[in-house]
Amino acid sequence: MQMFFKLNRTVLRKTLVLLLLLPSVVWAAAVPGQKAPPFSAVDARGNTHKLADYAGQWLVIEWFNKDCPYVKKHYASGNMQSLQKKYTEQKVNWLTVISSAKGKQGYLEPAQAIAVAEDHNLGASVPLLLDIHGVMGRAYGAKTTPHMFIVNPQGEVVYAGAIDDNDSANPAVIASSYNYVSAALDASLKGLAVPKASSRAYGCSVKY
């Protein structure tokens, strides 16, 4: 009996240690000034994308959920597509990521994702990645849709946070909002310091 309880205490201690360590393992973060977390994810058309593929290039990563009113704010208004077009034309890569788990809001099968990409005017220059197990989302610490990250050619995160400074879901506020992503890219592409490297992301929670 004593041996049984001793073994149980040992198992309990090990379990508690694992539970304490798990959040730090599962939830990482893309932190400005540090190297971007590596990733490998497949897009809606079956193509694999890895961080290493974008070495020496600028990269924007955007978290997406078609049913989120904050995502709708920026897509129905054309704001997000305008940013994508402006910067992909300047050789900036742009990845849009869905980390919704199967059965949860925003989850899409590949064929559905292709239809959504077409409906939202996401061209071939803006792949829609399907991160159904949330591995990429957790590695970057993506908490909301949208949640934005900018990675420089050296593989370092130069911006992480909200798309702009107005957390209203009303698209009418876009014109008077300060766009953090645009400001960061405009400065970075000119070799200048990013005005604001991080901000509190707003939107719907990512449905892991």
Side-chain angles (χ1 to χ4, degrees):
M1 185 64 74
Q2 285 183 326
M3 179 63 72
F4 174 78
F5 285 116
K6 186 175 182 181
L7 286 172
N8 272 359
R9 285 197 296 270
T10 301
V11 171
L12 180 60
R13 281 197 299 271
K14 289 181 177 179
T15 301
L16 288 172
V17 169
L18 284 172
L19 288 173
L20 289 171
L21 291 175
L22 186 58
S24 63
V25 173
V26 173
W27 284 99
V31 180
Q34 296 183 13
K35 289 290 186 180
F39 63 82
S40 178
V42 178
D43 68 27
R45 299 185 184 278
N47 301 308
T48 299
H49 299 262
K50 299 179 180 179
L51 179 64
D53 298 336
Y54 301 97
Q57 305 173 57
W58 285 95
L59 175 64
V60 175
I61 307 175
E62 163 214 350
W63 261 263
F64 175 93
N65 177 341
K66 72 177 181 63
D67 298 316
C68 173
Y70 297 92
V71 171
K72 291 178 180 179
K73 164 189 174 180
H74 291 289
Y75 273 92
S77 64
N79 184 48
M80 192 69 79
Q81 297 95 321
S82 294
L83 289 175
Q84 292 164 349
K85 184 175 187 296
K86 176 181 178 180
Y87 293 107
T88 55
E89 287 180 349
Q90 296 182 56
K91 307 302 182 184
V92 174
N93 299 284
W94 194 296
L95 299 176
T96 299
V97 186
I98 299 176
S99 290
S100 297
K102 189 171 185 177
K104 295 193 177 182
Q105 185 196 67
Y107 172 82
L108 297 172
E109 294 287 345
Q112 294 173 314
I114 290 172
V116 166
E118 292 173 351
D119 185 56
H120 287 68
N121 295 317
L122 291 174
S125 60
V126 185
L128 186 55
L129 275 55
L130 305 180
D131 177 41
I132 62 173
H133 299 297
V135 175
M136 183 177 176
R138 289 186 174 95
Y140 275 73
K143 299 293 180 65
T144 65
T145 51
H147 199 157
M148 313 293 296
F149 299 87
I150 301 174
V151 181
N152 68 15
Q154 291 73 47
E156 300 166 339
V157 178
V158 297
Y159 176 76
I163 184 173
D164 60 31
D165 66 350
N166 197 315
D167 62 4
S168 168
N170 186 349
V173 305
I174 291 174
S176 60
S177 301
Y178 179 79
N179 194 295
Y180 294 128
V181 173
S182 183
L185 285 169
D186 288 344
S188 295
L189 293 172
K190 293 175 182 176
L192 304 175
V194 173
K196 188 176 180 68
S198 65
S199 66
R200 180 186 63 82
Y202 69 83
C204 307
S205 62
V206 177
K207 304 301 188 288
Y208 291 108

